[in-house]
Amino acid sequence: MTWQPPEIPPLAKQLVPELQARIDAKTKPPGSLGRLEELALALGMMQATTEPALRNGRVLVFAGDHGLAEEGVSPFPQAVTVQMVANFLAGGAAINVFARQQGLTFQVIDAGVAADLPPHPQLLACKVRPGTRNARREPALTRDEARQCLEQGARLALDLAADGADAFLPGEMGIGNTSASALLCSALLGIPLDDCVGSGAGHDRAGLARKLTILKDVQARHAGASAQDPIGALAAFGGCEIGMMAGAMIGAASQRLLIVVDGFIATAAVVLAERLRPGVLSYCVFSHVSTESGHAKVLRALGVRPLLDLGLRLGEGTGAVLAWPLLVSATAFLREMATFESAGVSEKANPTSA
């Protein structure tokens, strides 16, 4: 099976002078809206317009199980994945609450849950396999399965764009997925594994030490997985939901959609997507820094600044949805705020020379 990631259009940097002039003409001191001004500029370049707008954000939560969970890398049993999917579809999870609050459309993607899920209007069945294999014993995915995850994700994003979406807010659910993310980030960014491994869903100190030992075993088994072979790294360490999310990020960026990135696992998907198709990162805004210990280090390695620091570590896309109003505000002030000229407000005086 072969798959070619779609091309990523370059940012419309030629619009920067006009965008900056529009931002500076608003009734405020230059730079006084801080990060909102940076976001307005970035969104204009992403959408290739001097009047960017965010009116149709879509939340997709990608769910998948991990065979590595049987080694005890999470304090929760694997059954929690399918239980939480049921909770999402019933509307009872945190992401449901926040998405409703913001009026955002919400769907769950079965990327690789280790159970048969009954049909539901908000569930898209895209299962590549019922959970990955145990990466401590064998590759989590075959290369073909890894490509299938990526291709399915890209197709989902293209469908979103065709349906009028202007932003993609990915979330995830999968017991064991902080382990897969730590392994992927270490392999793809060259960060020591010790710096990527955190407590996940809530390990105590002993549990964290055991998790790190297991992941070092996994890393040693797949010593050939590296940044030079991102599909091989995905196959080795897995995450149907991570791979599908990465593919969707590539597809979204190819259509100039804003990608609002959540926490550690979503960031690992960005790392994978950027290795596969450089340019994806340009379409990403990182919503927050997670308390999952590896997240801040990965963000630094990517050279990006998150918008929020709320002590979050839930996943599901919650941080992305919480940051959504800030992004909407960045486009709103550019469209709706009066200029000095239209409001009849005097601009800053130019000092005269003596």
Side-chain angles (χ1 to χ4, degrees):
M1 176 182 176
T2 60
W3 175 67
Q4 282 299 318
E7 296 289 337
I8 309 298
L11 295 178
K13 294 182 180 180
Q14 72 275 11
L15 295 179
V16 168
E18 187 177 353
L19 280 163
Q20 192 62 59
R22 292 194 68 218
I23 291 168
D24 292 342
K26 301 300 183 181
T27 48
K28 59 176 181 57
S32 59
L33 283 177
R35 292 290 300 277
L36 290 184
E37 297 189 23
E38 295 175 23
L39 290 171
L41 189 66
L43 289 165
M45 288 190 288
M46 289 179 200
Q47 296 184 357
T49 177
T50 57
E51 296 186 359
L54 292 173
R55 299 188 178 94
N56 193 358
R58 303 290 184 88
V59 180
L60 268 59
V61 177
F62 296 78
D65 277 305
H66 295 255
L68 189 59
E70 67 190 41
E71 300 288 341
V73 293
S74 172
F76 285 91
Q78 190 178 74
V80 169
T81 301
V82 70
Q83 292 165 359
M84 280 302 301
V85 168
N87 191 24
F88 295 145
L89 297 175
I95 186 61
N96 299 103
V97 174
F98 299 149
R100 282 196 298 267
Q101 181 187 26
Q102 301 303 328
L104 291 165
T105 301
F106 170 86
Q107 287 180 298
V108 179
I109 312 300
D110 177 6
V113 178
D116 293 328
L117 302 175
H120 189 281
Q122 289 180 294
L123 177 67
L124 292 180
C126 301
K127 196 194 303 286
V128 171
R129 57 169 290 113
T132 63
R133 300 169 186 85
N134 185 341
R136 198 178 192 186
R137 304 174 189 222
E138 59 184 317
L141 298 166
T142 67
R143 293 182 72 90
D144 277 351
E145 288 166 345
R147 291 189 188 97
Q148 188 179 346
C149 290
L150 294 160
E151 185 175 15
Q152 289 259 44
R155 189 178 302 121
L156 286 169
L158 295 179
D159 289 345
L160 289 184
D163 197 38
D166 48 33
F168 169 48
L169 292 78
E172 42 61 42
M173 177 62 216
I175 294 300
N177 62 9
T178 60
S179 294
S181 297
L183 289 159
L184 282 166
C185 287
S186 180
L188 297 175
L189 293 173
I191 300 174
L193 187 60
D194 302 62
D195 291 341
C196 296
V197 178
S199 61
H203 272 304
D204 58 18
R205 186 173 298 179
L208 179 57
R210 184 173 63 253
K211 176 181 178 180
L212 181 58
T213 297
I214 293 166
L215 296 191
K216 285 185 174 180
D217 285 350
V218 176
Q219 188 179 59
R221 171 174 282 276
H222 306 286
S226 70
Q228 285 67 50
D229 183 14
I231 289 179
L234 175 60
F237 305 125
C240 292
E241 80 281 27
I242 297 170
M244 207 169 289
M245 190 162 37
M249 290 170 173
I250 295 172
S254 78
Q255 302 300 303
R256 293 190 175 275
L257 270 62
L258 164 67
I259 303 162
V260 190
V261 185
D262 187 29
F264 183 53
I265 296 107
T267 301
V270 174
V271 172
L272 176 60
E274 179 70 12
R275 283 290 181 267
L276 287 162
R277 186 58 88 191
V280 171
L281 190 61
S282 300
Y283 288 87
C284 294
V285 171
F286 292 79
S287 61
H288 75 110
V289 58
S290 168
T291 57
E292 180 69 10
S293 59
H295 194 214
K297 297 179 178 70
V298 173
L299 292 176
R300 283 196 295 272
L302 292 174
V304 297
R305 287 189 300 155
L307 291 177
L308 304 170
D309 184 354
L310 300 174
L312 304 175
R313 58 178 180 87
L314 178 57
E316 304 178 4
T318 48
V321 174
L322 289 169
W324 178 249
L326 296 176
L327 293 157
V328 174
S329 294
T331 64
F333 94 79
L334 191 58
R335 287 195 320 276
E336 301 175 21
M337 193 173 171
T339 64
F340 285 102
E341 182 179 6
S342 68
V345 175
S346 299
E347 298 188 56
K348 181 180 178 181
N350 291 319
T352 57
S353 53

